[in-house]
Each structure stands twice: as structure tokens, then as C-alpha cells.
Amino acid sequence: MHIHGATALVTGANRGFGRHLTEELLRRGAKVYATARRPELVDIPGARVLPLDITDQDSIDAVSRTAADVDLLINNGASTAVASLMNGDRAAIGQMIDTHFFGTLDMIRAFAPVLARNGGGAILNVLSLTAWTSVEANTALAAAKSAQWGLTNGVRLELAGQGTLVSALVPGLIGTATLREAMKDTGLTFSAEVMNDPAALARLALDGVEAGEVEILDSLGAEAKAALAGPPRTFDLAAVATR
Ligand SMILES: NC(=O)c1ccc[n+]([C@@H]2O[C@H](COP(=O)([O-])OP(=O)(O)OC[C@H]3O[C@@H](n4cnc5c(N)ncnc54)[C@H](OP(=O)(O)O)[C@@H]3O)[C@@H](O)[C@H]2O)c1
């Protein structure tokens, strides 16, 4: 997959990591559909802006018809709420499953024929190491990310026949405004060693897609993957903050 000359679609492009992915794609010479629930918030020169809510099938169908030349689908946008499975708001937990799992799945189901018509192409799902290790502060997110990992592996199998690369980006911490706000609430701070600069992570992600990697890991993601052979672990944010 060559990013230069590709046609990409990014969900949740109005802010956070999605914005950085969009900018890096444009820098590398891709045509980019930058999608957002509130498209008026996307102000990235050169991006083609489309409205998209990944929990709304009509919205997904409209975008898949308009963006019929896509050969790189990036599923980034999702609920970044915080909830515990036992005591958290049930609606917030539902939103996480609806976006991380069903939103990603519905986007892939809508775009699989588009990718097939355009030569196979690639899908990049933005996961999290919490797919592999729960996190006390947000057990619901971890469950949703685990489900999204399973779905990523499943669609990889099902789309192999049409030549679609299905990659997972599995990072630990991304220094977006959302994470920085959460850090303020917890009082934790993280060094640059463990908290990804979003622009640098966007470069790592697209390098991985260009290299055909199925799992693209940062250092904390690689640690979590290596620990999978042992007993289930939690992502200890307080310990990471001391590094
Ligand atoms: N930040 C981290 O430390 C971290 C670590 C690992 C993985 N990740 C993953 O990286 C991705 C981006 O995270 P981030 O920190 O950049 O988050 P963010 O800044 O909170 O942005 C989330 C984006 O998702 C969009 N979104 C939410 N629900 C949506 C829906 N129903 N339809 C379409 N778009 C929707 C939001 O749109 P609105 O502006 O309309 O709300 C926003 O653009 C997420 O998948 C997250 O799980 C983040």
C-alpha cells in the first residue's frame, strides 16, 4: 500500500489523533476524506470534508456512496468516555460498544465492496493496548477495545480473499487533548518516553500500513502483547507515570 496517490477516509478527523492522521496522509500525497459528526469543525487545508456519524447507518451509507474511490479506510473515531463496568453509566458503556465495535464493523461492511472495487486496499483500525490488558480507570473501554481487536482479526480473515490488508494500530497513550484533560483529573503526568506525540504516532501508523504490517505497536503496546502469554494484567497508569 502506497500512501502517495492513495485515497483515504478518516473517521473522527475533527480533533485528536484523527486530525493528525489526516494531516500526515495529506503530507504524504494522499487524497483524504476527513469525516466528522460536526464537519464544520474540520479546518484542514486540502481535506475533503464529509459528515459522518459511525453509529448512523444512513450516514455511513451516504459516505460510502460519495467516497467511492477510497482504498484506505481508517477507523479512528469513537467514544472516549470513561466508565467502569460495574458502576459506570450503562448508556456510556453502550456508546463505547456502539462506536468501537459496531461503528467500526458497520464502516467495514459498507466499505469492503468499495475497497474490493479499488483493488483491495487497506483498513487501519485504531485500537489500544487496553484490548490486551484491562485498565482500572476505564474497564468499559478495555472491554470495547478487546471486542474491536477480535473484530479486526475476524475481518482480516474474511477480507483476505479480496486482497484487503487489515491492520491494527495498538498504542498505549496518545497525547491528545482528551488524554491531557483526563490526566488533569487524575493528577498523573507521563513522560515523552511513554506518551506518544500524536503526529509521530501518525507517522508510525502510516509507515506500518505501507510496510503491510498487521499489528503496529508502540513500546507500551509491545509490552502488553508480550505479556499476553502470562496471567491477565491491568494497565497500571500510576506505575507508567513514574517512568
Ligand atoms: N488518547 C489516547 O491516549 C488513546 C490511546 C489509545 C488509543 N486511543 C484511540 O485513538 C482514537 C482517537 O482517540 P483521541 O484521543 O484522538 O480521541 P478524541 O480526541 O476524544 O477524539 C475522538 C474522535 O472520535 C469522534 N467520534 C466519537 N463518536 C463518534 C461517532 N459516533 N461517529 C463519528 N465520530 C465519532 C469524535 O467526534 P466529536 O468531536 O464529534 O466528539 C472525535 O473526533 C480512539 O479510537 C481511541 O480509543 C486513544
Side-chain angles (χ1 to χ4, degrees), residues 137-148:
N138 202 349
T139 48
L141 173 74
K145 284 299 191 194
S146 296
Q148 196 186 22

Side-chain angles (χ1 to χ4, degrees), residues 11-18 35-38 41 52-56 75-80 95 99-100 126-130 141 145 148 169-179:
T11 63
N14 55 304
R15 63 188 171 104
F17 187 50
T35 69
R37 288 192 288 194
R38 289 167 295 165
L41 297 182
L52 174 64
D53 181 335
I54 61 166
T55 63
D56 177 345
N75 291 303
N76 160 79
S79 167
T80 44
Q95 274 254 288
T99 52
H100 295 276
V126 180
L127 305 186
S128 157
L129 67 72
T130 58
L141 173 74
K145 284 299 191 194
Q148 196 186 22
L169 175 67
V170 193
L173 302 168
I174 316 175
T176 59
T178 295
L179 178 65

